[in-house]
Amino acid sequence: MTNLLRYGKLITMHDHQAVTLTVERRHAVADLVARRGSARVSEIAERFQVSAATVRRDLEKLEEEGLVERVHGGAVAVRDRRPRPGTPSRSSHPKARAIGRAVADLISDGETVFLGPGPLCLEVAQNLSDHDDITVITNGLGVAYWLAASAPHRLILTGGQAEGADMGLVGPLARDTISGLRADHVVLELGGVSAVEGLTDDSLHQAEIARVLMEVGALIVVVVAPERVGRVAAAPVAPVTSVDVVVTGREAPPAYLWDLSEVGVEVVLA
């Protein structure tokens, strides 16, 4: 049997062939994701007749090489995820990604979801890649751009005036559009959540939009950074009992989390 010496290790011809097939498969997977924009683990496994565990290893390697970026349930093309100027980029912080995954797990195939602006809402959008038949409504330009470039979902963008670094659309046009729509889930990122002081935000205009959204969603989900649980921002939105679920990180202060659960709000820790 012919042997090959590579990187100081003796490799048999059989091993060399296996390595070659693996590399070829990974190139093919990268090409598939690039052409389609995204692909699920289950689809890749079926197409290449390998296990889901093998696909995950392939995607991990391809992500290390900068050829794809993994998301919950699959991968998306890197080229489609480059943000335009002023567009939020994907957070590299694993805690933010965990919050995005936790919210995405609350959403079922076939539903309509409203996503507000902000980095945590963008994480939610990026974790909806493995959902089928989703309609997303948003007043966030960054969220809208990512979905339009990288996901197959139906997308409805409200009009309005762009405000702040998160490029959230506000004003009469946004209010009027939102008032005429309905959603199974409304997902909002706010600047403060307190059992006593309620829901608040740093932007007066975004707080106004949030109040309108409270009327159009069957289930209201607030995503909040752990350090903002218990915080009170300048602009009041609504009593905390207006929310069905608060999703935050495990680092949030336990006393504030307990207060939220005591008033009947479901708290999900990611």
Side-chain angles (χ1 to χ4, degrees), residues 208-220:
E208 181 184 34
I209 294 297
R211 287 192 289 272
V212 177
L213 284 165
M214 295 291 174
E215 305 298 324
V216 304
L219 189 79
I220 309 298

Side-chain angles (χ1 to χ4, degrees), residues 86-117:
T87 302
S89 60
R90 181 175 177 84
S91 169
S92 60
H93 203 297
K95 293 176 183 178
R97 295 192 185 196
I99 291 174
R101 285 194 298 271
V103 176
D105 288 343
L106 300 175
I107 297 166
S108 301
D109 291 349
E111 291 189 328
T112 297
V113 183
F114 185 98
L115 290 179

Side-chain angles (χ1 to χ4, degrees), residues 1-79:
M1 177 179 293
T2 303
N3 294 327
L4 298 175
L5 185 63
R6 182 174 298 173
Y7 305 121
K9 179 181 178 182
L10 190 64
I11 303 177
T12 66
M13 197 62 184
H14 178 271
D15 291 335
H16 176 64
Q17 291 170 345
V19 170
T20 300
L21 290 174
T22 299
V23 172
E24 290 176 350
R25 182 184 65 248
R26 287 174 179 168
H27 282 315
V29 170
D31 181 65
L32 175 67
V33 174
R35 283 187 287 103
R36 293 181 49 183
S38 64
R40 299 182 190 174
V41 168
S42 58
E43 295 171 338
I44 297 171
E46 182 177 357
R47 184 183 185 94
F48 294 96
Q49 294 297 297
V50 293
S51 68
T54 296
V55 173
R56 293 188 187 97
R57 287 194 295 271
D58 287 349
L59 295 179
E60 182 176 2
K61 182 65 175 176
L62 290 171
E63 185 177 49
E64 290 175 359
E65 296 173 358
L67 298 175
V68 305
E69 187 162 359
R70 288 183 299 163
V71 295
H72 182 63
V76 298
V78 172
R79 69 163 188 261

Side-chain angles (χ1 to χ4, degrees), residues 103-146:
V103 176
D105 288 343
L106 300 175
I107 297 166
S108 301
D109 291 349
E111 291 189 328
T112 297
V113 183
F114 185 98
L115 290 179
L120 293 179
C121 283
L122 181 59
E123 292 288 350
V124 176
Q126 292 165 341
N127 279 281
L128 289 175
S129 297
D130 62 341
H131 286 61
D132 288 328
D133 196 29
I134 292 286
T135 298
V136 179
I137 310 167
T138 185
N139 69 322
L141 288 181
V143 171
Y145 170 66
W146 191 91

